[in-house]
Amino acid sequence: MKTKKIINWLGGLCMFMLILNSCNDPLDGTTFFTTDGETTDMTISEVLEANPDKFSMYVEILQKTEFYTALRSYGSYTCLAPTNTAIKAFLEERFNVSTVAELTSEEQIEFLKILVKFHTLPTSRTTSSFIEGRLADTTYTGDYLTTSYLLGGGIANVQINKEVGLDQYDIRTNNGTIHALTGVLNPFVDPVTVVMEKAGKHTIFIEALRQTGYYDMFSQYFSETGSKNNFTILAESDAVYAEFGINSFQDLADYISPGDADYTDELNELNRFMGYHATESFLYSADFPENSFISTILPKNAIKSFKTDTELRINETETGVDDTWTSLISEDSNFPAKNGVYHTVDKLLTIFIPKAKHVIFDFGTGLPEVQAGKIGFNSWFDSTEFESVRVFPATRIRILRQSRNAAYDAGTVLNLGSVTWIEFDTPVLPKGKYELRVCGNQGNNGRPIFQTYWDGQPIGSQWDMRSNPSELGIGWPDEDSLELRERGYVRGRSDIFDNSGNSAYDLANWARFIVIDDLLMPEQQSHVLRFETIRSGGIPIDYIEFVPVD
């Protein structure tokens, strides 16, 4: 499906300007380091200007918005440059003009600035990084772009945001990469609810959002704390509902919550059903976890995500006989908006009660702030910028992506200095009995000793990060011996390797510490896990692990 090219940007312009004026603009610099002008050493701006038959109108836009010099500066950028043909068609359709020079009002110039920022990434990305899903970096408007191959394989068929193709690609310059576009990308202005509504394929679902009160919630750009919202919505289309004999909102209400029309009541089944269709994490299809749970807006309920080589299975029953699951309809999924993204599921997404399941929660990739793109890697962030993590006293936190010889899960580790305690919200976990393990880079005398608390209550053994199993007087066993378990450890995971190719299984510093082996969870919900220091020190925590116990 191709999104509409005409969008109502005027209503959202004030919000855009608030965002743009509230932070430093990396493209609005005043000091630049330019090249020596050699043909083989040209900047993005110089390459564009040297090809007027294709890019003269975009150069004019850059000059009119005062960004020409920025893309002529030292740095590393990706410039998505629409061709002259694309820009001319865009101007005629949107402004009823044929030249850039005819755009003179302050409002028009501000929109062109947003347009340039939306077409620029802060790193150089070639087409080798174009996957089915979102690009790794946000644009200078803070939005993720998507690339997709619904028209077939190969770069010639790639579509950006499912609306624009490539005319040329991987044009290398000394400060980045240029991709020539066959059309102009429409900057995101509308919330995800409005984008869905304009698409016109989810009228019943949209009405159900209105009736339950979720429409207003999912239309908000910012949370109560002032952070940017990023919702992921999994929606049934009208066509999917029709397969179940549902052809109107009332049909859906009668199907889900017969006899109860108080749809705004949080205990109403339709209200619960709609809350189960969304999460506060920003997830394109490629971002769904390979084998884990996704917390939903509906408290104490999660979606189970499992990926095979060929498909995404949502809420797979795992009975071994006639297993059922829901998946995404590719051509009707991965549609981004200013505050999220929506997907279309291929059948009714009913509330699912999973069995106890082995869950690995990685601090570097599992935190909602990381998944939503609010927190980046390798930079220090104030702990107050996290909602799912609390630290006392407040300090700085860094999610370190592996840049040295260490066997981190997912290549990341949570890193912070001495604190009194750190606590975080776990994913929603299925009810059952679990063994709780924790892994971090241990065996260093500068590390802390922790007492673990579960929902406010102390549990299990103290974790002394100064030690590792090889220092316990039992050596480093060939296998996970009973003696090793009695000392509170199991060996590291065999599927994680350091930069030298050594498995965590063979590295004592990456053994997993057993906090407790009979942690009972009587119902499906998220919990609060706290590590309180008995002895303070540097804290590199990699992941925690919940292993079902029969």
Side-chain angles (χ1 to χ4, degrees):
M1 185 185 75
K2 192 171 183 178
T3 54
K4 295 183 179 179
K5 291 189 175 181
I6 301 177
I7 61 173
N8 182 11
W9 62 272
L10 291 174
L13 185 59
C14 291
M15 183 207 69
F16 263 116
M17 299 318 299
L18 174 63
I19 295 173
L20 295 176
N21 291 331
S22 65
C23 58
N24 293 329
D25 184 356
L27 285 181
D28 282 340
T30 56
T31 303
F32 303 101
F33 302 92
T34 58
T35 71
D36 58 11
E38 294 293 330
T39 303
T40 57
D41 195 26
M42 300 171 70
T43 64
I44 289 174
S45 292
E46 291 167 340
V47 171
L48 295 175
E49 192 167 25
N51 292 272
D53 291 346
K54 182 162 289 188
F55 297 121
S56 62
M57 295 186 76
Y58 196 62
V59 168
E60 192 175 354
I61 290 176
L62 293 177
Q63 292 171 335
K64 201 177 191 72
T65 55
E66 301 179 353
F67 291 140
Y68 176 88
T69 307
L71 292 178
R72 194 170 176 243
S73 70
Y74 173 82
S76 181
Y77 309 101
T78 299
C79 174
L80 302 169
T83 64
N84 291 339
T85 302
I87 292 177
K88 190 172 186 299
F90 179 81
L91 295 179
E92 290 175 347
E93 183 178 28
R94 181 177 294 275
F95 297 107
N96 195 30
V97 300
S98 58
T99 66
V100 176
E102 294 176 81
L103 301 180
T104 57
S105 72
E106 181 179 348
E107 189 175 58
Q108 290 170 336
I109 301 303
E110 290 301 328
F111 177 75
L112 291 180
K113 288 182 178 180
I114 293 171
L115 199 70
V116 171
K117 293 176 182 180
F118 192 71
H119 284 73
T120 309
L121 301 175
T123 57
S124 180
R125 293 286 179 182
T126 64
T127 52
S128 63
S129 64
F130 287 9
I131 61 172
E132 186 67 36
R134 68 175 176 178
L135 297 180
D137 310 292
T138 59
T139 68
Y140 278 105
T141 57
D143 299 300
Y144 286 106
L145 302 180
T146 64
T147 51
S148 58
Y149 295 85
L150 294 176
L151 300 179
I155 296 302
N157 290 317
V158 72
Q159 284 192 311
I160 300 176
N161 287 1
K162 295 192 175 183
E163 60 178 348
V164 170
L166 297 179
D167 179 83
Q168 283 184 273
Y169 54 88
D170 293 343
I171 304 170
R172 304 297 183 94
T173 74
N174 83 325
N175 67 341
T177 304
I178 300 171
H179 304 293
L181 303 185
T182 60
V184 177
L185 297 171
N186 287 298
F188 302 149
V189 175
D190 291 326
V192 63
T193 47
V194 174
V195 173
M196 291 179 64
E197 193 166 14
K198 287 183 176 181
K201 289 189 174 184
H202 303 80
T203 62
I204 297 174
F205 188 89
I206 289 294
E207 181 60 25
L209 288 179
R210 293 187 189 280
Q211 293 285 341
T212 54
Y214 283 112
Y215 187 95
D216 290 341
M217 176 181 179
F218 298 153
S219 297
Q220 297 299 314
Y221 294 105
F222 299 99
S223 68
E224 293 180 356
T225 63
S227 61
K228 185 175 179 291
N229 283 331
N230 281 301
F231 298 108
T232 299
I233 296 179
L234 305 176
E236 296 91 359
S237 65
D238 294 346
V240 170
Y241 279 137
E243 295 176 8
F244 293 84
I246 299 171
N247 297 295
S248 66
F249 164 74
Q250 194 57 52
D251 287 346
L252 177 63
D254 292 342
Y255 188 95
I256 301 297
S257 59
D260 184 0
D262 189 3
Y263 306 128
T264 59
D265 183 354
E266 63 182 17
L267 298 180
N268 177 275
E269 287 304 318
L270 181 61
N271 188 288
R272 288 168 49 81
F273 176 79
M274 299 306 294
Y276 188 71
H277 280 65
T279 176
E280 291 183 288
S281 298
F282 195 108
L283 302 174
Y284 285 102
S285 57
D287 301 320
F288 277 68
E290 292 187 1
N291 190 8
S292 188
F293 293 92
I294 303 168
S295 298
T296 68
I297 298 297
L298 179 64
K300 300 184 180 182
N301 284 271
I303 291 168
K304 185 173 67 172
S305 170
F306 177 73
K307 287 181 177 178
T308 70
D309 292 339
T310 59
E311 59 196 350
L312 168 63
R313 299 180 180 182
I314 298 172
N315 291 350
E316 183 181 10
T317 54
E318 293 185 301
T319 63
V321 179
D322 297 328
D323 284 329
T324 62
W325 64 84
T326 302
S327 195
L328 305 182
I329 301 175
S330 297
E331 61 270 23
D332 290 328
S333 297
N334 290 319
F335 285 101
K338 190 61 188 173
N339 69 340
V341 59
Y342 78 86
H343 308 280
T344 303
V345 292
D346 61 359
K347 58 178 67 73
L348 287 185
L349 183 63
T350 54
I351 298 173
F352 179 74
I353 306 299
K355 300 183 297 183
K357 186 177 181 63
H358 185 184
V359 174
I360 297 174
F361 180 76
D362 183 274
F363 284 94
T365 57
L367 293 176
E369 293 83 3
V370 176
Q371 293 181 344
K374 298 176 182 178
I375 299 296
F377 295 108
N378 299 332
S379 297
W380 290 100
F381 292 88
D382 192 282
S383 57
T384 57
E385 298 183 57
F386 292 79
E387 294 183 21
S388 64
V389 179
R390 279 81 59 189
V391 178
F392 180 81
T395 185
R396 295 186 302 162
I397 296 176
R398 179 172 60 170
I399 306 298
L400 181 66
R401 187 180 289 280
Q402 182 169 323
S403 58
R404 56 186 178 176
N405 196 24
Y408 298 140
D409 176 51
T412 59
V413 65
L414 181 144
N415 182 267
L416 70 163
S418 301
V419 296
T420 301
W421 54 257
I422 176 173
E423 71 177 20
F424 64 94
D425 301 324
T426 72
V428 173
L429 298 163
K431 64 181 180 180
K433 184 191 292 186
Y434 291 85
E435 180 173 283
L436 172 60
R437 304 171 182 172
V438 60
C439 185
N441 193 349
Q442 55 203 5
N444 182 304
N445 195 48
R447 306 288 191 239
I449 302 175
F450 287 121
Q451 172 64 52
T452 305
Y453 286 76
W454 185 257
D455 290 337
Q457 299 298 317
I459 59 170
S461 303
Q462 294 176 1
W463 181 28
D464 186 348
M465 291 190 73
R466 299 174 303 171
S467 303
N468 64 49
S470 64
E471 300 170 345
L472 297 178
I474 60 175
W476 187 233
D478 292 334
E479 299 295 338
D480 290 330
S481 67
L482 179 60
E483 188 174 6
L484 183 63
R485 283 192 61 89
E486 289 176 348
R487 296 297 184 97
Y489 290 92
V490 294
R491 292 179 67 146
R493 287 164 52 194
S494 60
D495 60 332
I496 302 175
F497 299 88
D498 65 16
N499 292 343
S500 299
N502 301 308
S503 168
Y505 183 81
D506 296 318
L507 299 171
N509 279 18
W510 297 97
R512 293 163 284 178
F513 179 74
I514 303 170
V515 176
I516 188 171
D517 62 6
D518 60 352
L519 181 61
L520 187 63
M521 301 183 196
E523 62 180 345
Q524 180 184 216
Q525 67 177 76
S526 174
H527 299 267
V528 176
L529 189 150
R530 173 184 289 195
F531 295 117
E532 191 162 307
T533 55
I534 297 172
R535 177 192 183 276
S536 63
I539 306 171
I541 303 178
D542 192 5
Y543 63 89
I544 59 172
E545 193 173 10
F546 301 91
V547 182
V549 177
D550 291 337

